Amino acid sequence: MPRTLLAVFAHPDDDAYGIAGTVALHADDPEFRFVLVLATDGGAGDIREGFPATRETLGAVRQAEDAAAWRALGRVPERHEWLGYADGEVDRVPPEELIERIAAIMAEERPDVVATFGPDGIFGHPDHIAVGAATDAAFHRLAPGAERGFRRLCHGAVPKSVFDRWNEQRASMGLFVFDPTQMYHMRGVPDERIGIVVDCRPVADRIVAGLGEHRSQHHVMSDDPSDVERWKRVVSRESWVVTWPERPAGAPMLTDLFEGLD
Ligand SMILES: [Zn+2]
């Protein structure tokens, strides 16, 4: 039973948080095929004080960091497509163009599971929201009548209960707390909408090894990048909203993106 996963995100490092646990858990599965699409090279991101990159080179640096991150995790994508849009401007791409670009890859791969951002973009980032919406549209264009693949569409999410706990911890540590009404602040989704919770603790060290390769972004990824144990706790689970097919009320919580598709 092939297990093709198509993950569509906006920036290099979205993938390192968003899907790394699932990929690491399936790393040794011979039937697993991992296709990764990133819309931008992250070239408009922050450059850490003293980091050897310029505005001109950051995009290429971050592409290399992304490749290094998957190598460090121990499982590289079978296919990695960069859509090449300008970082921070994906929401200005004509929606039909973005949908067509993603749909073209989807039509070739016929993924069993598609993973992307939901309408909250996790951080309200317009690039995230645009990529997620276009991926959803491409999926719904191709799924009806498909002879194989297109069995599940998932949105990465932070459960509200986890969001609240993190914010409480942040407040107690004197760190800024996320205000979900603000752009670029984390948002939670109601816990009852979560359909899949992946226990990533067995591969947390591999996820953190990947995160560590995004060296130009350490300062925005973590309040204390040297605190490996804290990073491991943060990545200890992936939570997903199953957007399609709709999850019946009271359905049992799944523990893997592919569970129940055999
Ligand atoms: Zn991002």
mmCIF file of all heavy atoms in Angstrom, residues 10-14 62 117 123 125 127-128, ligand 1:
data_model
loop_
_atom_site.group_PDB
_atom_site.id
_atom_site.type_symbol
_atom_site.label_atom_id
_atom_site.label_comp_id
_atom_site.label_asym_id
_atom_site.label_seq_id
_atom_site.Cartn_x
_atom_site.Cartn_y
_atom_site.Cartn_z
ATOM 1 N N ALA A 10 4.677 27.309 3.086
ATOM 2 C CA ALA A 10 5.079 28.582 2.487
ATOM 3 C C ALA A 10 6.596 28.794 2.519
ATOM 4 O O ALA A 10 7.183 29.222 1.533
ATOM 5 C CB ALA A 10 4.376 29.739 3.191
ATOM 6 N N HIS A 11 7.197 28.528 3.678
ATOM 7 C CA HIS A 11 8.589 28.943 3.896
ATOM 8 C C HIS A 11 9.455 27.782 4.353
ATOM 9 O O HIS A 11 8.966 26.892 5.057
ATOM 10 C CB HIS A 11 8.638 30.026 4.990
ATOM 11 C CG HIS A 11 7.641 31.117 4.813
ATOM 12 N ND1 HIS A 11 6.540 31.263 5.624
ATOM 13 C CD2 HIS A 11 7.562 32.090 3.883
ATOM 14 C CE1 HIS A 11 5.832 32.299 5.223
ATOM 15 N NE2 HIS A 11 6.417 32.815 4.164
ATOM 16 N N PRO A 12 10.761 27.838 4.006
ATOM 17 C CA PRO A 12 11.667 26.874 4.613
ATOM 18 C C PRO A 12 11.700 27.125 6.123
ATOM 19 O O PRO A 12 11.969 28.248 6.542
ATOM 20 C CB PRO A 12 13.023 27.183 3.961
ATOM 21 C CG PRO A 12 12.885 28.487 3.265
ATOM 22 C CD PRO A 12 11.446 28.803 3.140
ATOM 23 N N ASP A 13 11.380 26.179 6.858
ATOM 24 C CA ASP A 13 11.253 26.027 8.320
ATOM 25 C C ASP A 13 9.813 25.734 8.712
ATOM 26 O O ASP A 13 9.574 25.087 9.721
ATOM 27 C CB ASP A 13 11.859 27.160 9.169
ATOM 28 C CG ASP A 13 11.045 28.458 9.262
ATOM 29 O OD1 ASP A 13 9.976 28.546 8.658
ATOM 30 O OD2 ASP A 13 11.510 29.376 9.958
ATOM 31 N N ASP A 14 8.807 26.148 7.888
ATOM 32 C CA ASP A 14 7.426 25.690 8.143
ATOM 33 C C ASP A 14 7.399 24.159 8.148
ATOM 34 O O ASP A 14 6.709 23.538 8.962
ATOM 35 C CB ASP A 14 6.469 26.148 7.035
ATOM 36 C CG ASP A 14 6.288 27.651 6.945
ATOM 37 O OD1 ASP A 14 6.620 28.350 7.919
ATOM 38 O OD2 ASP A 14 5.810 28.117 5.883
ATOM 39 N N ARG A 62 18.657 29.950 2.958
ATOM 40 C CA ARG A 62 17.559 29.206 3.603
ATOM 41 C C ARG A 62 17.166 27.954 2.817
ATOM 42 O O ARG A 62 16.755 26.953 3.407
ATOM 43 C CB ARG A 62 16.359 30.128 3.832
ATOM 44 C CG ARG A 62 16.674 31.218 4.851
ATOM 45 C CD ARG A 62 15.445 31.978 5.277
ATOM 46 N NE ARG A 62 14.513 31.126 6.027
ATOM 47 C CZ ARG A 62 13.309 31.525 6.446
ATOM 48 N NH1 ARG A 62 12.904 32.757 6.196
ATOM 49 N NH2 ARG A 62 12.531 30.707 7.106
ATOM 50 N N PHE A 117 -1.577 24.230 5.451
ATOM 51 C CA PHE A 117 -2.090 25.133 6.485
ATOM 52 C C PHE A 117 -3.607 25.233 6.397
ATOM 53 O O PHE A 117 -4.189 25.188 5.302
ATOM 54 C CB PHE A 117 -1.532 26.544 6.288
ATOM 55 C CG PHE A 117 -0.075 26.697 6.590
ATOM 56 C CD1 PHE A 117 0.836 26.926 5.575
ATOM 57 C CD2 PHE A 117 0.391 26.618 7.895
ATOM 58 C CE1 PHE A 117 2.189 27.086 5.851
ATOM 59 C CE2 PHE A 117 1.743 26.776 8.182
ATOM 60 C CZ PHE A 117 2.641 27.015 7.160
ATOM 61 N N PHE A 123 -0.187 31.070 12.326
ATOM 62 C CA PHE A 123 0.288 32.363 12.830
ATOM 63 C C PHE A 123 -0.428 33.539 12.162
ATOM 64 O O PHE A 123 0.020 34.674 12.288
ATOM 65 C CB PHE A 123 1.799 32.502 12.598
ATOM 66 C CG PHE A 123 2.623 31.657 13.530
ATOM 67 C CD1 PHE A 123 2.988 30.373 13.174
ATOM 68 C CD2 PHE A 123 3.018 32.139 14.764
ATOM 69 C CE1 PHE A 123 3.743 29.581 14.030
ATOM 70 C CE2 PHE A 123 3.775 31.367 15.626
ATOM 71 C CZ PHE A 123 4.134 30.080 15.253
ATOM 72 N N HIS A 125 -0.207 34.246 9.206
ATOM 73 C CA HIS A 125 0.677 34.754 8.156
ATOM 74 C C HIS A 125 -0.036 34.675 6.803
ATOM 75 O O HIS A 125 -0.504 33.593 6.418
ATOM 76 C CB HIS A 125 1.954 33.923 8.137
ATOM 77 C CG HIS A 125 3.080 34.538 7.363
ATOM 78 N ND1 HIS A 125 2.934 34.965 6.054
ATOM 79 C CD2 HIS A 125 4.363 34.797 7.707
ATOM 80 C CE1 HIS A 125 4.091 35.457 5.633
ATOM 81 N NE2 HIS A 125 4.965 35.372 6.625
ATOM 82 N N ASP A 127 1.028 34.544 3.796
ATOM 83 C CA ASP A 127 1.604 33.520 2.916
ATOM 84 C C ASP A 127 1.053 32.133 3.276
ATOM 85 O O ASP A 127 0.726 31.330 2.400
ATOM 86 C CB ASP A 127 3.134 33.462 3.064
ATOM 87 C CG ASP A 127 3.864 34.599 2.358
ATOM 88 O OD1 ASP A 127 3.207 35.412 1.678
ATOM 89 O OD2 ASP A 127 5.104 34.662 2.510
ATOM 90 N N HIS A 128 0.992 31.847 4.560
ATOM 91 C CA HIS A 128 0.495 30.542 5.010
ATOM 92 C C HIS A 128 -0.959 30.358 4.577
ATOM 93 O O HIS A 128 -1.349 29.294 4.084
ATOM 94 C CB HIS A 128 0.558 30.428 6.538
ATOM 95 C CG HIS A 128 1.939 30.409 7.117
ATOM 96 N ND1 HIS A 128 2.159 30.136 8.449
ATOM 97 C CD2 HIS A 128 3.155 30.625 6.560
ATOM 98 C CE1 HIS A 128 3.465 30.189 8.698
ATOM 99 N NE2 HIS A 128 4.093 30.485 7.564
HETATM 100 ZN ZN ZN B 1 6.089 30.275 7.416
#
